[in-house]
Amino acid sequence: MHIREIDRFFHELLRIDNFKKADRGINGLQVANKSKTVSKIAFAVDASLEAFKRAASWGADMLFVHHGILWGGEKAITGEYFDRISFLIENNIALYGVHLPLDADPELGNNISIARKAGLEEIELFGEYGGLKIGYKGVLQKPMGCDEILASLGFKTDEVLAVLGFGPEKCRKVAVIAGGASKEVQQAIDEDIDLYITGEVAHHMYHQCLEAGINVISGGHYLTETFGVKNVAKVVNEKLSLETCFIDVPTRL
């Protein structure tokens, strides 16, 4: 399949153009390949050299990532930045990056995936970022403790970064923004949420959450953002009949 067709498919699937003003990252094709054709797409969270090497070993024509290498503004092509780009070019691998659109997508995104796996009902948009709401909130039919919710998500206690148990013992109202959304906890506090699920926590959040009486699960930036790329890989395989694989390079952060 021609790379232009792939690009058009992803733009439509993930509503990429809706995020031009909100996202500082460049969503879409970040590095082309020499052949301009794609038959095998690898998927990963981060555009790391390790992910590139595994994609090359698998024979990928393209690597689709959540965290690309272009974040707005000019950057000298030196050091590890040069190493990554030159590896892609030398191995004829295109790089496709989708950031906020993959967090916010109402069907395939990281945030809706976590909300559904947690068992939320009456799901609504939550969490404004860059003028758009990118997260989700909802209620649990049966209130659950943080440990029970972790189990629902498939997260092991030793995998997550932190659990701040400062709120109700049993949670009913839950809000979700994956990745690096520590500042957005204030929006959860303002909406009287029992549990806020995100990727990262910051030092200042401890007393902020303690004093507000809210629970927080910090699942890790990486772990909370594996859902979207896996979902898109499945859709590509089913709708485009292209070979796909997920490359797991966890950062434990």
Side-chain angles (χ1 to χ4, degrees), residues 50 85 116 130:
E50 175 64 24
I85 293 175
R116 287 171 175 164

Side-chain angles (χ1 to χ4, degrees), residues 16-29:
I16 287 175
D17 291 336
N18 293 348
F19 293 81
K20 285 182 177 179
K21 294 182 179 179
D23 202 342
R24 67 185 181 90
I26 296 178
N27 293 299
L29 188 63

Side-chain angles (χ1 to χ4, degrees), residues 123-142:
I123 296 175
E124 304 175 45
L125 286 168
F126 163 83
E128 187 172 314
Y129 181 90
L132 296 174
K133 287 192 174 181
I134 62 169
Y136 293 91
K137 65 179 180 178
V139 296
L140 293 166
Q141 187 177 43
K142 176 187 175 183

